[in-house]
Amino acid sequence: MARAYDVQTVEKKWQARWQDEGTYEVDNDDPRPAFYALCMYPYPSGPAHQGHVRNYTFGDLVVRYQTMRGKAVLSPLGFDSFGLPAENAAIRTGTHPRVFTDARIAELKESLVRLGAVYDWRREVRSHDPSYIHWTQLIFLRLLKAGLAYRALAPVNWCPGCQTVLANEQVLADGTCERSGDVVVTRDLEQWFFKITSYADELLSGLDTLEWPERVKVMQRNWIGRSEGAEIDLAVAGRPDVTLRVFTTRPDTIFGMTYAVMAPEHPLVDELTTAECRAAVEELRARVASETEIERTASTEGGPALEKRGAFTGSHVVNPFSGEKVPVYVADYVLMGYGTGAIMAVPAEDQRDWAFARLHGLPIVRTVEPPEGWEAQGGAAYSGDGVKVNSGFLDGLEVAEAKEVAIAHLEREGRGRRKVNYRLRDWLVSRQRFWGCPIPIVHCPVHGAVPVPEDQLPVLAPDDVEFLPTGQSPLAHHEGFKRTVCPIGGEPAERETDTMDTFVDSSWYFLRFCDPFDDEAPFGAAAVVHWMPVDQYIGGIEHAILHLMYARFFTRALIDVGLAPPELPREPFSRLFTQGMIRMDGSKMSKSKGNLIAPARYYESVGADALRLFHLFVGPPADDFDWTEQTDEVIEGCGRFLDRLWRLAEVAGEAGRSGALREADVELRRATHRTIQKVTSDIERWSYNTAVAHCMEQVNLLRDYAREDPHADVLGEALDALLHLLAPMAPHVTAELWEHRHGDRLHARSWPGFDPALVAEETVTMVVQVDGKVRDRLDVPATISDDEARARALASARVVEAVGAAPPARVIVRAPRLVNVVTTTA
RNA sequence: GCCCGGAUGGCGUAAUCGGCAAACGCGAUGGUCUCAAAAACCAUUGUCCGCAAGGGCGUGCGGGUUCGAGUCCCGCUCCGGGCACCA
């Protein structure tokens, strides 16, 4: 499309200026009030896509707006530059991951600069920089020293496609890998873990203090999965030496326990299985072991496999309240990873136990009276509230009371105790990959896993490695890297060849940004206390659980191990905004789906300002957006709007009546100040789409005004205000127009205020309704009294006609906006 | 199954505290300019009845509260997302 100005030249000119003049560089001793604006650490996948554009447009708006509000805005950017794609590319093409990654970073950076997004690039960090690796490794060692990192043999999720271990969170609900889609299998390996579960309660309660989208908080709460209940030690009949420990959230139902179940992996299975039952139990265990996560959980998906599959062990446990002996089963519906890996089964009050009991002919005893008609509807487990029955000393109590009494009873008898369980598991950080931060550990035959001394950090991966699809890190095949000596005794030893999950890197980068030049420590105490917490964090909803949880954990852990000062706020991100994603043909726009629309073509045609404006205007920032064939037309519409602005500014340069203000001049000034008010409040409440709409409305108004003998001062004031309001949204064209008019820098100026006297309306349109239907509109003074409003409404000819002869039953007056004349008495 | 969102013109959407439904934009239609086209500009654009003035209807469906409901309450339908043997 033909444009009113040379978009390319103007945009590139200002991008160079902001960089050369260091407009958005900020020092730690800046006296202005600190404001930390941050977009989530991007993985460098090449040139930006529309999802990035949207994200960084919002972020840039915040940075420029808060700067104009007089803040010292910390606006850093770096790159989450470790990760699988670079390594996969290396296997495919032979290019070293560093070379590949640096090229992708250059592309992403270039396209963000071209968008006009501004950062203090002096602070840029990259996860794969040796300096960053150094501090990530130091943090690992300090967590280890404090007991927050440990090594354990654990069943892990192994993805055959990625040839690596995955965190639980990287396995989708259907048992496939979130990245490759392969079916994940279980393997036992020695792995490093971070003890995030120590912080479960604090991570849960801390959510209440945060200005985050409610749904993100809900997701985190569900993920932590706190549940209160009791742990019970069940006596095994005829085996005084063994107890079976179970967890329940329903200690009130103990009288209804008619059997117990152990997970197939439970360590006591061998112990409790009798000779006669061994064959069936072994068969079950073998089948479960060979099953994938999907197959094992498929039994809940409905269909023929709905039954709960299990086998009797031949042993019995004693119901601690009734004293009855009940059978112990092994069944695949009990998971080793939660609670104690064993349960007391109460079929009457738990649907899973119900299904299993029915299948195996086990007794079902209700301990809560179900509501009227429950049995008539076919009967099933009833897990709701009610009155206890068949429960000895609990009979007659409500469920909540009965829980308390039951726990007290267990504790008195020493058979159990109150217990809180979490769904949250410790964070598995080991990855059998090359392109990640090496774990700084040496394995010595004498001293075991020995930390690399801190003065020998960083441990860097060698460059001369071969990238082969072997399923192990290339580091494991590199003798030069692997062979070393024990730091303690000097014995020949091997380096750990696993690397860390890349979520480790992104769990502390926001702290490094505060003090990226520090070569004595990850960051200085004063710097992080000055900038933290992040005042506005912006990113995608896809990080609602993992990244945000890990970063919250790390911030706390770093304080507790002494790497961060105790004054550092324990919550790193006080305000979070999660933008909607961009969809195309129903699925998320992403590189892996191959449905990217590169911004470059828009930079070259309509320009970055128009593209930014489009992303702001198209809908609420938090909502998803569908990219369709019509989208280009909307983007061009945004370009047209900027053209109109440009032409308006040209006219305003020449225009010129002076002297006393007329009615129309005053009206325009009122509109100008109202626009300032509306746009300001829209920006504050993340309503960018309406902020743009109000600017468009003002341009339309201004265009009409400029045609009809405008007053130079009034037109100038209006245009200048508009340029300020649009400065954070369309920074290039506004900076250029401002320079033409005044010669200095728009973005260095203060955000405009409005005159409350001008914002207040003088006359308003009063709506007169008869029985709720609009019958007339009257122009009245804004200060009109209720009596006067009523009188004027009733005097309206159209109202008189609608009301008819009978006197109105009632008149509702809401001066000065509305009068409703009610004629019916009903 | 449980927990969150959402549903408004042909389309994206607006209505911030229960008070004029549809601001702003896209598209469409007609016009001005032009040899012509593009661009730009002007006008119309929820729907039905009407020459018009004007009026009826209208925010997924069914009820309710209220002088008044897109907005609040109850019961549904459909769409999207999260969790899903967590004891």
Side-chain angles (χ1 to χ4, degrees):
Chain A
M1 64 195 276
R3 295 297 299 263
Y5 63 102
D6 184 347
V7 176
Q8 297 294 316
T9 308
V10 166
E11 293 190 347
K12 284 176 181 156
K13 163 183 161 183
W14 287 99
Q15 284 156 12
R17 284 240 177 123
W18 295 321
Q19 183 59 39
D20 297 345
E21 296 177 2
T23 313
Y24 291 92
E25 291 175 2
V26 63
D27 293 326
N28 288 359
D29 60 359
D30 193 304
R32 295 172 293 174
F35 188 98
Y36 192 170
L38 187 65
C39 289
M40 286 180 186
Y41 203 41
Y43 178 78
S45 54
H49 54 71
Q50 297 296 340
H52 288 119
V53 170
R54 192 172 164 86
N55 194 179
Y56 295 103
T57 295
F58 297 154
D60 194 54
L61 188 154
V62 170
V63 170
R64 293 177 185 272
Y65 173 71
Q66 292 295 344
T67 301
M68 290 176 82
R69 296 237 74 145
K71 307 278 176 56
V73 179
L74 179 61
S75 170
L77 191 71
F79 301 93
D80 188 15
S81 51
F82 274 135
L84 271 182
E87 192 165 345
N88 290 338
I91 293 170
R92 216 168 44 242
T93 67
T95 315
H96 192 280
R98 181 183 304 106
V99 175
F100 178 87
T101 300
D102 286 341
R104 300 292 83 75
I105 288 174
E107 288 167 349
L108 180 54
K109 203 169 160 175
E110 200 275 330
S111 62
L112 294 180
V113 168
R114 185 61 190 80
L115 179 66
V118 285
Y119 302 97
D120 184 349
W121 286 111
R122 301 172 305 170
R123 295 176 184 263
E124 177 183 346
V125 305
R126 304 172 175 203
S127 297
H128 74 287
D129 282 343
S131 60
Y132 198 82
I133 290 170
H134 183 160
W135 302 122
T136 304
Q137 290 174 338
L138 181 86
I139 290 168
F140 180 96
L141 294 179
R142 294 292 175 87
L143 293 181
L144 181 63
K145 205 165 160 186
L148 288 172
Y150 65 95
R151 190 167 149 85
L153 185 69
V156 294
N157 305 300
W158 176 264
C159 172
C162 302
Q163 290 284 310
T164 191
V165 167
L166 303 176
N168 286 333
E169 304 88 84
Q170 290 165 326
V171 182
L172 301 178
D174 66 354
T176 59
C177 170
E178 69 163 5
R179 189 175 287 275
S180 73
D182 287 285
V183 172
V184 175
V185 297
T186 301
R187 275 197 190 181
D188 278 342
L189 286 177
E190 283 279 347
Q191 306 284 320
W192 288 98
F193 290 86
F194 286 157
K195 237 183 196 166
I196 189 171
T197 52
S198 311
Y199 290 85
D201 251 334
E202 207 197 322
L203 290 171
L204 185 65
S205 60
L207 290 171
D208 298 335
T209 66
L210 299 174
E211 280 186 66
W212 285 17
E214 199 51 41
R215 65 173 175 149
V216 174
K217 293 202 225 178
V218 168
M219 280 193 244
Q220 294 226 341
R221 284 190 195 107
N222 292 343
W223 194 259
I224 294 169
R226 184 182 202 272
S227 54
E228 292 180 18
E231 209 170 59
I232 307 166
D233 295 321
L234 299 173
V236 180
R239 292 292 302 273
D241 56 318
V242 198
T243 57
L244 181 63
R245 181 170 287 186
V246 297
F247 172 74
T248 180
T249 55
R250 293 293 303 274
D252 63 297
T253 64
I254 290 175
F255 280 101
M257 173 178 94
T258 54
Y259 63 99
V261 187
M262 288 188 282
E265 304 88 346
H266 196 286
L268 285 178
V269 169
D270 273 336
E271 191 87 40
L272 297 187
T273 302
T274 59
E276 313 82 76
C277 297
R278 189 158 300 277
V281 168
E282 285 307 324
E283 189 192 326
L284 175 77
R285 293 177 83 186
R287 181 174 56 75
V288 169
S290 71
E291 269 178 347
T292 64
E293 197 78 13
I294 326 176
E295 286 163 341
R296 181 159 172 189
T297 55
S299 55
T300 48
E301 301 288 309
L306 190 70
E307 81 276 11
K308 301 303 181 189
R309 296 157 300 187
F312 179 45
T313 60
S315 291
H316 291 78
V317 290
V318 180
N319 182 318
F321 283 1
S322 72
E324 273 178 62
K325 288 204 310 186
V326 299
V328 179
Y329 279 74
V330 173
D332 64 357
Y333 78 99
V334 172
L335 308 176
M336 194 57 223
Y338 183 78
T340 61
I343 62 159
M344 61 171 217
V346 185
E349 276 94 34
D350 183 289
Q351 190 53 44
R352 297 157 296 181
D353 296 343
W354 174 282
F356 189 86
R358 293 293 285 258
L359 197 78
H360 293 263
L362 293 158
I364 298 172
V365 180
R366 294 227 185 261
T367 74
V368 179
E369 193 67 68
E372 203 72 25
W374 183 265
E375 306 290 354
Q377 284 168 29
Y382 172 71
S383 57
D385 284 334
V387 178
K388 300 304 297 183
V389 293
N390 300 324
S391 297
F393 61 89
L394 300 174
D395 278 349
L397 297 177
E398 288 289 329
V399 168
E401 287 175 281
K403 284 182 182 175
E404 292 306 312
V405 174
I407 291 171
H409 192 92
L410 285 170
E411 289 184 337
R412 206 162 42 240
E413 304 222 318
R415 291 163 179 276
R417 61 214 66 83
R418 184 182 302 279
K419 169 83 178 171
V420 175
N421 246 322
Y422 299 92
R423 213 186 76 111
L424 183 72
R425 316 281 173 85
D426 277 338
W427 175 13
L428 175 80
V429 296
S430 299
R431 294 292 180 277
Q432 292 66 49
R433 281 284 165 173
F434 171 81
W435 194 236
C437 179
I439 294 174
I441 292 289
V442 170
H443 295 286
C444 167
V446 178
H447 300 96
V450 180
V452 171
E454 289 181 7
D455 60 9
Q456 290 174 27
L457 297 181
V459 174
L460 298 175
D463 276 350
D464 57 333
V465 291
E466 271 197 283
F467 292 95
L468 300 167
T470 59
Q472 272 185 307
S473 163
L475 291 178
H477 304 295
H478 193 285
E479 294 301 309
F481 176 78
K482 210 166 137 181
R483 300 274 161 242
T484 183
V485 292
C486 174
I488 296 176
E491 299 87 350
E494 287 189 2
R495 279 190 195 282
E496 170 86 39
T497 57
D498 284 355
T499 54
M500 291 183 224
D501 182 1
T502 56
F503 275 117
V504 177
D505 306 307
S506 55
S507 290
W508 73 280
Y509 76 103
F510 45 90
L511 297 168
R512 182 68 181 170
F513 277 151
C514 298
D515 192 21
F517 319 108
D518 196 329
D519 50 15
E520 301 291 316
F523 42 79
V528 291
V529 169
H530 178 67
W531 291 112
M532 291 293 290
V534 173
D535 295 280
Q536 183 65 64
Y537 200 30
I538 304 169
I541 188 76
E542 65 273 20
H543 290 117
I545 298 174
L546 301 187
H547 162 62
L548 291 170
M549 187 86 78
Y550 292 151
R552 295 177 63 222
F553 158 61
F554 248 53
T555 304
R556 290 169 165 81
L558 290 173
I559 295 168
D560 293 344
V561 305
L563 276 173
E567 313 89 87
L568 183 70
R570 293 175 80 83
E571 286 293 349
F573 314 123
S574 44
R575 296 183 78 206
L576 171 71
F577 184 83
T578 51
Q579 51 163 12
M581 65 182 187
I582 297 176
R583 282 190 310 243
M584 207 176 174
D585 307 323
S587 62
K588 182 185 174 175
M589 198 182 260
S590 72
K591 193 171 189 181
S592 55
K593 295 236 166 50
N595 58 358
L596 295 183
I597 304 272
R601 52 188 273 212
Y602 298 103
Y603 295 157
E604 284 155 25
S605 57
V606 292
D609 281 335
L611 186 61
R612 292 168 63 118
L613 216 51
F614 157 77
H615 279 286
L616 296 170
F617 178 63
V618 75
D623 288 5
D624 288 351
F625 170 74
D626 279 303
W627 194 281
T628 67
E629 306 81 49
Q630 294 169 25
T631 299
D632 276 5
E633 286 161 349
V634 182
I635 296 173
E636 279 173 20
C638 290
R640 276 199 291 274
F641 164 71
L642 294 177
D643 284 344
R644 281 197 286 272
L645 180 71
W646 185 278
R647 288 193 210 98
L648 196 58
E650 284 175 337
V651 174
E654 307 154 7
R657 171 166 57 87
S658 58
L661 298 188
R662 300 172 188 165
E663 176 80 33
D665 304 329
V666 177
E667 274 311 304
L668 189 82
R669 290 203 68 212
R670 289 183 178 284
T672 298
H673 284 252
R674 270 199 295 273
T675 301
I676 295 171
Q677 183 190 37
K678 285 190 278 195
V679 171
T680 304
S681 79
D682 283 350
I683 287 178
E684 293 283 353
R685 66 191 180 100
W686 281 83
S687 184
Y688 300 150
N689 51 331
T690 54
V692 175
H694 288 132
C695 289
M696 288 174 165
E697 213 171 349
Q698 176 71 355
V699 165
N700 294 344
L701 220 65
L702 217 47
R703 191 173 48 172
D704 294 344
Y705 174 78
R707 267 199 282 267
E708 305 198 355
D709 192 19
H711 191 288
D713 295 347
V714 172
L715 186 56
E717 180 196 34
L719 189 69
D720 286 347
L722 198 54
L723 292 177
H724 279 84
L725 300 180
L726 285 165
M729 310 191 216
H732 310 87
V733 65
T734 50
E736 181 73 10
L737 288 173
W738 184 268
E739 190 184 38
H740 289 182
R741 287 172 60 75
H742 303 284
D744 60 339
R745 299 285 186 265
L746 173 62
H747 290 91
R749 296 178 54 84
S750 294
W751 191 253
F754 55 87
D755 180 346
L758 283 170
V759 166
E761 289 169 292
E762 244 175 11
T763 61
V764 300
T765 303
M766 185 172 80
V767 172
V768 186
Q769 298 177 331
V770 175
D771 295 328
K773 290 191 160 100
V774 180
R775 292 296 137 152
D776 205 356
R777 294 184 171 86
L778 306 172
D779 283 336
V780 300
T783 54
I784 193 167
S785 69
D786 280 7
D787 286 347
E788 176 67 15
R790 177 193 175 100
R792 290 239 221 149
L794 291 174
S796 153
R798 301 183 53 190
V799 170
V800 168
E801 190 194 335
V803 169
R810 208 173 148 190
V811 180
I812 312 282
V813 182
R814 292 285 180 276
R817 293 276 167 203
L818 177 133
V819 173
N820 189 10
V821 182
V822 184
T823 63
T824 50
T825 44

